[in-house]
Amino acid sequence: MTKRFILLFTALAFVLAGCDKDDGGRRNKAVEQTLYQLYPDASHLDWDYDGNYVVVDFRSAIASDSRAAECEAWFDYNGSWYLTEFDIRFNELPAAVINAFNSSAYGSWYVEDVERIDRVGYASVYIIQVEDRTYGNDVEFDLYYDAQGILIKEIADGPDFGGNYGDFLPPTGSDYTAIREFIKNKYPNGQIVDIERGSNGYTDVDIIDNRISKDVVFDASGNWVYTTYEVAWTSLPAAVTSAFNSSAYKEYYVDDIDFYETADNGNYYRFDLESLLGDIKIYITENGTVSTTPGSGSGSGTGTDNPVGDVGVNQTIQAHIEAHYPGAVILDKDEKNGLTEVEILYNNAVLELFFNGSNQWVKSEQDVKYSDLPAAVKSVIDSTYSAYRIDDIELVETPTEKYYKFDMLQGNEFIMVNIAEDGTVI
């Protein structure tokens, strides 16, 4: 009996020697070796497993100015490293990021949390989670910066920090390898900061190239479709500004300008315009040709399709559109004011749907004519705002309300008025 007990105890000790019982996690020796190579001062290791990945929570001062900060690293079972998230303080951000944030429109907002994310094959990303606490507002944004202080993207109500960082993991596979190789050859100074695949297989790659944030898009077969980035009016070629000022759209308000470098439709500038007659997109080639379709007059493509419309949207967004707008055609997808904006054609009308960083529907907007307004709304406009000129009318729907938004002018005075269907000014 005693001999049998000794053998059992020895076997149990052997098992325990190969396992780490910290919070029930089982230590992976290959991962541990890589971890200490990357972070020699790592301590307080806590082990977990998520699908094909080993996740290790630990403390290290490598990114936190000699302060032992909370960190989370992701590896495969063979010990290959993919991602590390560092919980850092605001003053531990690169000086360029601090300066860029302080001089931005968000500089006065409350900073809730700051993180740095390192990934294999990617540039480091710094995320500042901010909240607007003025006048009782409760608006949150996640601001993504690179080390040079360039704002890569802003996401309204993004995913909460401290959650699962698996969404940040670099995608793997031969098709992604080919995409990375293409970007390396076409943009030798470019650094990849994010890769996202849409529901129809199209891939959107965010890069920083010569201090410019660009989106590089590939089709489901991995072929490059186009590259786009925002430009300022002052940076437009003379031929483009001259063409716009001579066009039928010169009185429209310019909301946004994006440059497109495409595989089939040549290069052109897309203008997002607004007016009382409705919103419209026009396209001007580098030599000054104006069109309402992209690429007309240049390139080898037909110029009949906007390449943006070919980009797949997130599956959650796709499901929302199919459930609420069956049969709708997705015309365009863009990022605007921290929201994902999806333009659709539904029942012969164009709607703009907005989704936050968690892919939740936030609101929809649709241009309407004065003649189509409810009688109660017309009555308020005619009695209270008759001295104003209506510049734009939109029907806005949110999860909690529905109203008509008016942009109106009186001389140099500009006002916005929201009126519910029953005529209540809100």
Side-chain angles (χ1 to χ4, degrees):
M1 183 71 179
T2 302
K3 185 176 181 180
R4 189 176 304 171
F5 176 78
I6 293 174
L7 290 174
L8 178 61
F9 179 81
T10 303
L12 180 60
F14 178 82
V15 171
L16 291 175
C19 301
D20 177 19
K21 290 299 182 180
D22 189 6
D23 289 342
R26 180 170 53 85
R27 177 172 295 173
N28 180 298
K29 296 300 183 183
V31 168
E32 186 175 32
Q33 181 177 359
T34 305
L35 176 70
Y36 282 121
Q37 288 175 351
L38 295 172
Y39 314 108
D41 67 335
S43 64
H44 298 81
L45 275 58
D46 187 10
W47 297 79
D48 199 1
Y49 295 83
D50 190 318
N52 296 323
Y53 295 93
V54 180
V55 184
V56 186
D57 292 329
F58 62 100
R59 295 181 186 177
S60 172
I62 197 167
S64 303
D65 195 22
S66 299
R67 175 184 62 88
E70 298 292 335
C71 311
E72 180 178 291
W74 290 62
F75 306 81
D76 64 20
Y77 281 79
N78 295 319
S80 296
W81 169 77
Y82 289 91
L83 175 151
T84 301
E85 172 272 328
F86 304 92
D87 186 6
I88 64 175
R89 295 170 178 168
F90 183 82
N91 61 4
E92 294 168 344
L93 288 166
V97 177
I98 294 176
N99 293 335
F101 173 80
N102 286 336
S103 61
S104 74
Y106 301 100
S108 61
W109 288 32
Y110 176 77
V111 176
E112 288 193 317
D113 208 347
V114 181
E115 297 199 345
R116 166 180 147 183
I117 295 181
D118 291 352
R119 290 169 292 175
V120 60
Y122 288 69
S124 295
V125 175
Y126 298 86
I127 307 175
I128 306 175
Q129 188 180 57
V130 296
E131 181 180 358
D132 183 9
R133 294 185 173 180
T134 60
Y135 308 110
N137 291 331
D138 189 21
V139 181
E140 295 183 356
F141 274 79
D142 290 348
L143 310 177
Y144 290 67
Y145 289 90
D146 80 337
Q148 303 175 74
I150 298 172
L151 181 61
I152 301 166
K153 59 183 176 181
E154 47 191 327
I155 300 179
D157 296 319
D160 291 335
F161 287 163
N164 190 314
Y165 293 90
D167 290 341
F168 289 96
L169 287 168
T172 58
S174 58
D175 50 345
Y176 289 109
T177 301
I179 285 174
R180 290 190 180 95
E181 191 64 26
F182 176 91
I183 291 175
K184 179 180 177 181
N185 293 330
K186 187 171 181 62
Y187 306 103
N189 296 322
Q191 288 187 305
I192 296 176
V193 294
D194 196 18
I195 298 179
E196 182 178 356
R197 177 156 290 176
S199 58
N200 67 348
Y202 273 63
T203 302
D204 189 348
V205 184
D206 295 333
I207 70 170
I208 299 295
D209 181 42
N210 294 325
R211 297 188 60 82
I212 299 174
S213 180
K214 300 180 178 181
D215 289 337
V216 189
V217 177
F218 300 81
D219 65 19
S221 299
N223 300 309
W224 174 65
V225 181
Y226 67 89
T227 299
T228 183
Y229 53 92
E230 188 174 351
V231 297
W233 173 271
T234 53
S235 66
L236 293 174
V240 175
T241 55
S242 177
F244 177 81
N245 290 330
S246 302
S247 73
Y249 309 98
K250 61 182 180 181
E251 300 299 330
Y252 283 61
Y253 171 74
V254 179
D255 184 50
D256 193 31
I257 307 173
D258 295 296
F259 178 68
Y260 282 83
E261 179 187 12
T262 80
D264 294 327
N265 287 325
N267 300 339
Y268 55 84
Y269 294 85
R270 188 188 75 178
F271 288 68
D272 291 357
L273 307 177
E274 298 178 354
S275 82
L276 180 59
L277 300 176
D279 299 344
I280 189 174
K281 292 180 175 65
I282 66 169
Y283 306 86
I284 305 180
T285 62
E286 292 176 300
N287 62 8
T289 302
V290 181
S291 175
T292 54
T293 58
S296 297
S298 68
S300 58
T302 61
T304 58
D305 296 317
N306 184 351
V308 178
D310 293 331
V311 180
V313 298
N314 176 275
Q315 292 182 358
T316 303
I317 295 176
Q318 180 77 43
H320 177 91
I321 294 173
E322 292 174 354
H324 295 86
Y325 309 95
V329 177
I330 297 177
L331 302 176
D332 198 357
K333 187 191 82 168
D334 207 350
E335 304 296 328
K336 189 173 184 179
N337 298 325
L339 300 172
T340 298
E341 176 186 1
V342 182
E343 186 177 281
I344 66 171
L345 178 64
Y346 179 67
N347 289 341
N348 296 318
V350 176
L351 288 80
E352 293 177 336
L353 311 179
F354 295 85
F355 301 83
N356 64 17
S358 299
N359 299 312
Q360 299 170 325
W361 174 66
V362 174
K363 65 176 179 176
S364 64
E365 296 181 352
Q366 178 182 352
D367 286 332
V368 297
K369 300 177 182 178
Y370 180 84
S371 58
D372 294 332
L373 292 173
V377 177
K378 288 182 180 178
S379 177
V380 173
I381 293 296
D382 294 342
S383 62
T384 308
Y385 302 98
S386 58
Y388 288 84
R389 177 174 66 86
I390 299 175
D391 186 53
D392 191 32
I393 309 173
E394 290 183 332
L395 173 61
V396 180
E397 291 188 72
T398 75
T400 58
E401 56 187 348
K402 180 179 180 180
Y403 58 89
Y404 293 88
K405 182 177 73 173
F406 292 81
D407 294 346
M408 296 188 284
L409 295 166
Q410 184 184 41
N412 294 325
E413 181 186 6
F414 171 81
I415 63 172
M416 288 192 301
V417 179
N418 299 330
I419 305 177
E421 291 181 296
D422 63 0
T424 303
V425 179
I426 57 177

